[in-house]
Each structure stands twice: as structure tokens, then as C-alpha cells.
Amino acid sequence: MNFLYKLFSNSRSRDKENEMNYIVKGYPLTTSPVIPDILKYQVEYQRMDGKKDKPILALTLAHEGSDLVEPESLEVIRRVMQYWFKEYPELAKYFEKELPQNLLAVSFTHQNFQIGKESCHDFKLANGHKKAENSFYTYRKLSECVQCVYYNENGIEYIAGGCFYPAPHGKPKLLKSNDALMLFATSSQMKYPLCDRRKTSHFVNQKYYGRYCATAGKSVIVNFNSSDGIPRHWEYDHVAHKDEMILCKECCEDYFVYKWEEPKKDTCSIPADVPVTFAPAAAATCGSEAEPVSQADSTENLIGGFEKIEVNNEDAESDIDAELIA
């Protein structure tokens, strides 16, 4: 019995270390979603409408009474979604109580997108916006519990929405990291259609905006509400489990010299060379279709060639205390 316990504990520890490695390193960008193993238990798919009968929330469920996922992981989802839908009282009300144990995935949209009928990974333009010629969608897992969907148009990548999967029993929960990943995925992206960031609500009211920082090699949140008036970009350290405010020359210059210009309409649509996610995507030839990637049954099919990095961290999970941006 003691041998089996040690074997199981060592296996969980390796799983936790491997997942943290890929969270820090960044998962691959694909042209079709990665399908988590837990979705094989799906028996029901529910869409919920926001305003104007537009579906902006979807739940993927197993048989009622199923007990497949970790309650702590469900609590992270509940808290994030309650905040995300605070302007939609009917939807936010669903997340006031504990989520059911048969919940397999929660899908939610970003502004000007809606959820399709096919699956939890099906996202479409909404509010009268039409899909541009040669535009396409891409996908990236940020962790085993978080996957984002991006709409690519005229060489720019916009977040369409995301899927949040609770951690199955026996799998790493990484509560703080998954909480922070969802926050940064939704707050550090450019909104569709492209607009003057100085007129967005986050810029005006919360004094921050999202941008891709080439120096950092990923999307960051630029906060300009400091007492000294100097903007700093905001990142999350997944190893130390803390927010970091970093003085960055590139982000400073961008803040002070930024000038809004209407985007050109005749740019060919390609995957962005520096997408607004946590790892660079490969660019396609201008005017060509992105090479399709077959659906993967598990992340291991995608990350086999990734270079492993070392993360000196004995305990990657603890209590939920990361604050969401108001």
C-alpha cells in the first residue's frame, strides 16, 4: 500500500511539474481545438443568451450525478465567470451557487462574438459583423484547464472567447495559475473590431490596456495608474505565484507615442507573427490558407517536440487569492 501511495504521489508531482513547464513555456497555436479527454463524457450542451438573444455562455455536461472533477477547480470557474458576467444579471446568477459536479466545460465569449451550435469550441462573429474573406480561427491552450479561441483578420489576432475545463480527479488543479491565466487572457487582448484603445472602458476607467510586448515575448497588461505616472506592464509569475509590475522601455515608449490610425483593409489575413497570447505563432505565406492541424486527443500529441524547461517549484497549488481586475 505504501509503495502504491508513493507511486501515485510521484506521478501527480510529475504531472504538476510538466504542466507548469508548459504554462510558462507556452502551448502551441493550432488551427483546430485540442479536445480534452474529459469531454468524452459529454451528454448535454447548453447555450445561454445575453442581450438580444445572442448566446454568450455555454455549458458542457456529463450525466447528472456524475462526479468527475475537482470541486476546488469548479470554484475557480464559478468565481471568474461570476465576475465576467456581472453586467448580465441572469447569467451571473447561475454562478452564485456551487457548480454541478457533472460540469465538463464552460465556454464564454468576448465582445462582438457569440457561441455556435456545434460544440464548446465553436465561436462566431456577432452584432452584425461579417467574417472577412480569408479570415480564420486559431486556438491555444494556456493550461490543461484553459483554452482560448482567436479570430484572425487582416493580420491581427483578436480573442473570440475561451473554454474553461475543471480539473479531473487526480489531475493537477494549479488554482492560482488557472485563475491568473484566464484574467490575463481576457484583459491583455485587443478587442474586435480594432479601435482607439484610449476610448475603451478599461483605459478610461481602470487605467490599463492590453498589448503584445515583443520584449516580454507575450501579451501583457499595461497599467498607467502609478503614482509616478510611469506605465508598467503587468505579468503573473506562475512559479512564485505573484503579480509583477515591470518597468519596460518598449511599453513606456508605446504608451507615450501611441497614435490611433484606421487599419488598412487590404492587408492579407495571416496568423499574426506575434500573436496576443503567451507564445509566438508561425506565420503563413500571405494569401495562403493556414495549414490545418488535425484535432488532438491530448496535449501530449502537440507538445512532444517542445524543449523542456526547468521550474524549481515544489508546490504549484494553494488557496485562491489572486484578485481579478475590477
Side-chain angles (χ1 to χ4, degrees), residues 75-76 79-80 83 174-184 234-238 240-244 318-326:
E75 175 60 18
V76 172
R79 193 164 66 88
V80 172
Y83 167 80
L174 301 176
L175 302 177
K176 284 188 175 182
S177 285
N178 283 316
D179 199 5
L181 284 169
M182 189 56 69
L183 165 64
F184 277 76
W234 186 10
E235 298 183 46
Y236 185 77
D237 186 329
H238 292 276
H241 300 306
K242 65 179 183 179
D243 294 326
E244 294 184 324
S318 61
D319 297 332
I320 308 169
D321 61 3
E323 291 296 327
L324 292 171
I325 297 177

Side-chain angles (χ1 to χ4, degrees), residues 25 38 114 119 124 151 159 174 193 209 229 239 282 295 322 325:
K25 178 77 172 180
I38 197 171
Q114 66 182 30
S119 73
K124 303 180 185 300
Y151 174 69
I159 187 167
L174 301 176
Y209 60 93
V239 178
Q295 280 192 341
I325 297 177

Side-chain angles (χ1 to χ4, degrees), residues 297-318:
D297 293 324
S298 66
T299 304
E300 285 70 25
N301 292 339
L302 293 171
I303 62 180
F306 263 41
E307 180 181 332
K308 186 169 182 178
I309 59 174
E310 296 299 326
V311 177
N312 295 320
N313 180 46
E314 294 182 357
D315 185 15
E317 10 173 340
S318 61

